[in-house]
């Protein structure tokens, strides 16, 4: 026997295309991120007839163990990046080097952390999909980023900001246990 349940997705894109979107979906967690990118691309093309119009900001953090066998949807993601639908694609291949690198490590890098705070300050939405442990690590990473880069080390304010983002529907997680 197998227990199955179906529930509606909590991933709802912001109404305004100008709102930046940060997606974190390692492994099969990238599947709903593809749908978000498809929707953003469609809405942009539908509303902007000028080729020179500014694409919305869409950033994806994707990770897997090995690039050569686990980098699913590679051609599609790289095509989105080439055509501008995907502003930035950050890749973590955890078994490609001696020390493991995960999506939360990339997110926590100085340049990415500063970029995240800047984007959150202008209303960015964050979407996280994947294993519960990864989701918890990403949540802690975002809290640490806010603590360090926005609130001068005030841990309580960093944590409160993450809770406020969740309450406002700007930090959304769809996680499962492995």
């Amino acid at each position: 026997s197998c227990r199955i349940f179906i529930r509606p997705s909590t991933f709802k894109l912001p109404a305004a295309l100008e709102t930046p979107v940060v997606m974190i979906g390692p492994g099969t967690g990238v599947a709903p991120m593809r749908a978000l990118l498809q929707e953003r691309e469609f809405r942009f093309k539908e509303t902007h007839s000028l080729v020179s119009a500014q694409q919305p900001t869409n950033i994806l953090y994707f990770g897997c163990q090995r690039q050569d066998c686990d980098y699913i949807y590679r051609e599609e993601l790289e095509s989105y990046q080439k055509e501008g639908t995907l502003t930035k694609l950050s890749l973590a291949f955890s078994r490609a080097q001696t020390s493991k690198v995960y999506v939360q490590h990339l997110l926590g890098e100085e340049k990415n952390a500063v970029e995240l705070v800047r984007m959150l300050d202008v209303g960015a939405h964050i979407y996280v999909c994947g294993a519960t442990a990864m989701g918890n690590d990403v949540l802690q990473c975002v809290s640490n980023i806010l603590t360090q880069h926005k609130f001068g080390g005030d841990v309580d304010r960093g944590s409160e900001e993450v809770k406020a983002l969740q309450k406002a529907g700007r930090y959304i997680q769809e996680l499962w246990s492995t």
Side-chain angles (χ1 to χ4, degrees), residues 148-163:
Q148 294 171 353
H149 295 278
K150 185 170 182 174
F151 298 116
D154 187 333
V155 176
D156 292 334
R157 288 189 67 198
S159 179
E160 289 168 9
E161 181 77 1
V162 169
K163 289 176 187 169

Side-chain angles (χ1 to χ4, degrees), residues 32-146:
M33 306 314 171
R34 291 176 58 230
L36 295 178
L37 285 167
Q38 291 164 2
E39 176 69 17
R40 297 272 280 185
E41 177 184 49
F42 174 80
R43 287 175 46 200
F44 177 77
K45 288 179 178 177
E46 185 177 60
T47 58
H48 294 82
S49 58
L50 298 174
V51 176
S52 62
Q54 178 66 39
Q55 290 265 10
T57 301
N58 300 303
I59 295 176
L60 174 63
Y61 289 86
F62 172 74
C64 59
Q65 290 186 356
R66 292 174 188 83
Q67 181 176 0
D68 59 342
C69 62
D70 300 323
Y71 187 2
I72 56 178
Y73 307 115
R74 177 182 190 158
E75 293 82 15
E76 181 180 359
L77 296 175
E78 291 176 359
S79 175
Y80 278 138
Q81 186 176 30
K82 185 177 180 180
E83 67 189 33
T85 298
L86 189 52
T87 310
K88 179 177 168 185
L89 175 61
S90 291
L91 302 168
F93 302 111
S94 63
R95 303 303 189 274
Q97 58 283 321
T98 55
S99 61
K100 294 179 182 178
V101 176
Y102 297 113
V103 289
Q104 61 269 24
H105 298 133
L106 297 179
L107 188 62
E109 290 176 358
E110 182 72 16
K111 67 181 184 332
N112 295 331
V114 169
E115 176 183 53
L116 180 66
V117 170
R118 180 187 54 76
M119 290 186 352
L120 287 171
D121 284 346
V122 296
H125 288 224
I126 299 174
Y127 301 90
V128 182
C129 187
T132 304
M134 175 280 306
N136 291 336
D137 290 344
V138 168
L139 184 71
Q140 186 61 53
C141 180
V142 171
S143 181
N144 292 343
I145 288 169
L146 290 166

